[in-house]
Amino acid sequence: MDSDGHTIINLAEGSLAEQAKNISIGSHVWICSGVTILKGVYIGNHTIIAAGSIITKRIDGEHILIGGHNKILKREIDWEV
């Protein structure tokens, strides 16, 4: 999801408080079931995102396993079909 689904307006300033941001996913990335990826996130190449994870910030590394809340669980890994 790369937006909040609704427009949030700052009434005091008369401006938008939240806006959509892109999600960028590198090549050869495995996103397991039930993963939540919030707006503005980048996920690097050759990354595995474990089931049920919540990704809220940029994941710059490659060949890593991410789980939980942006936590690197393993490094120097890869996967194949």
Side-chain angles (χ1 to χ4, degrees):
M1 177 178 291
D2 63 355
S3 71
D4 295 320
H6 302 283
T7 301
I8 300 173
I9 301 169
N10 183 334
L11 294 175
E13 297 177 10
S15 62
L16 294 176
E18 294 289 328
Q19 294 187 2
K21 295 180 184 175
N22 291 332
I23 294 171
S24 297
I25 299 173
S27 63
H28 199 67
V29 173
W30 178 6
I31 300 172
C32 296
S33 64
V35 172
T36 300
I37 301 172
L38 299 185
K39 65 183 180 180
V41 165
Y42 166 83
I43 298 172
N45 300 325
H46 305 281
T47 298
I48 301 170
I49 309 295
S53 298
I54 301 172
I55 308 302
T56 61
K57 64 182 182 179
R58 184 178 181 92
I59 307 295
D60 283 318
E62 292 190 2
H63 297 283
I64 55 177
L65 169 63
I66 303 293
H69 190 222
N70 302 316
K71 184 176 180 182
I72 297 176
L73 302 177
K74 290 186 180 183
R75 295 179 184 272
E76 299 301 320
I77 56 97
D78 207 353
W79 64 278
E80 58 185 47
V81 178

